[in-house]
Amino acid sequence: MFGTGVTIITTRSGDGTLRGLTANSFNSVSLSPALILWSLARTSSSYEAFAQATHYTINVLAADQLQLAQRFATRGIDRWAGVAHEAGAGGAPVLPGSAAVFECAHRAVHEAGDHVIFIGEVLACSHTPDTPPLLFHGGQFYTELPLAPAVTDPLA
Ligand SMILES: Cc1cc2nc3c(=O)[nH]c(=O)nc-3n(C[C@H](O)[C@H](O)[C@H](O)COP(=O)(O)O)c2cc1C
């Protein structure tokens, strides 16, 4: 019942293999320095790649990237087939069209039960204005529905 955004977190292994998974555990930690966190299941097929990674990219998804979110949460497929991407910091893939992008350097890892918590330092970030977000709540995907009317200009 905790509504979140949705990200795809990506990295590039030493042998050049691209890895990525859909994750909603992303959150902000610190402003100075700029730190973020996310958690990864130990059982994930991406675990070894991220445990070794020096850099990763947090791609915050837009509503029209729903199919990418589903694809990067599916086991046993080539998640990268036909997916456009550019190299971000450390070669970690950036997904064009994302609502926001955080290019991160690995800083710390904390063991936490059946997950590990990664803390990354934001080296670069960008966003696409006026992009409807992809949201996740109660096991379903959504996009935004404003609760208040847009602010009107009193001088207009
Ligand atoms: C909305 C959503 C959020 C998810 N968040 C996480 C997460 O924060 N951490 C995690 O390890 N897996 C998360 N998953 C599952 C991963 O996407 C996972 O990679 C997927 O189940 C496939 O397993 P694999 O990583 O072993 O290939 C999430 C899945 C969905 C659909």
Side-chain angles (χ1 to χ4, degrees), residues 8-117:
I8 293 176
I9 303 179
T10 60
T11 193
R12 182 185 177 95
S13 299
D15 66 0
T17 307
L18 303 183
R19 306 301 305 228
L21 78 156
T22 299
N24 68 344
S25 54
F26 168 67
N27 220 318
S28 57
V29 175
S30 163
L31 289 175
S32 183
L35 300 175
I36 58 83
L37 68 73
W38 63 286
S39 61
L40 177 64
R42 288 181 171 281
T43 54
S44 170
S45 61
S46 302
Y47 177 79
E48 284 303 325
F50 282 102
Q52 308 280 333
T54 58
H55 294 79
Y56 45 78
T57 303
I58 313 287
N59 298 275
V60 177
L61 299 186
D64 64 6
Q65 292 173 309
L66 167 63
Q67 289 173 343
L68 272 185
Q70 293 169 323
R71 177 196 280 235
F72 277 79
T74 302
R75 280 196 153 141
I77 62 166
D78 177 3
R79 294 176 179 172
W80 291 95
V83 174
H85 57 87
E86 300 159 1
V94 171
L95 303 177
S98 296
V101 170
F102 297 87
E103 297 171 47
C104 299
H106 172 71
R107 285 292 177 259
V109 63
H110 296 274
E111 310 290 327
D114 59 6
H115 280 58
V116 291
I117 299 168

Side-chain angles (χ1 to χ4, degrees), residues 111-135:
E111 310 290 327
D114 59 6
H115 280 58
V116 291
I117 299 168
F118 288 98
I119 294 183
E121 180 168 355
V122 179
L123 303 179
C125 59
S126 61
H127 77 287
T128 311
D130 302 321
T131 304
L134 185 62
L135 305 176

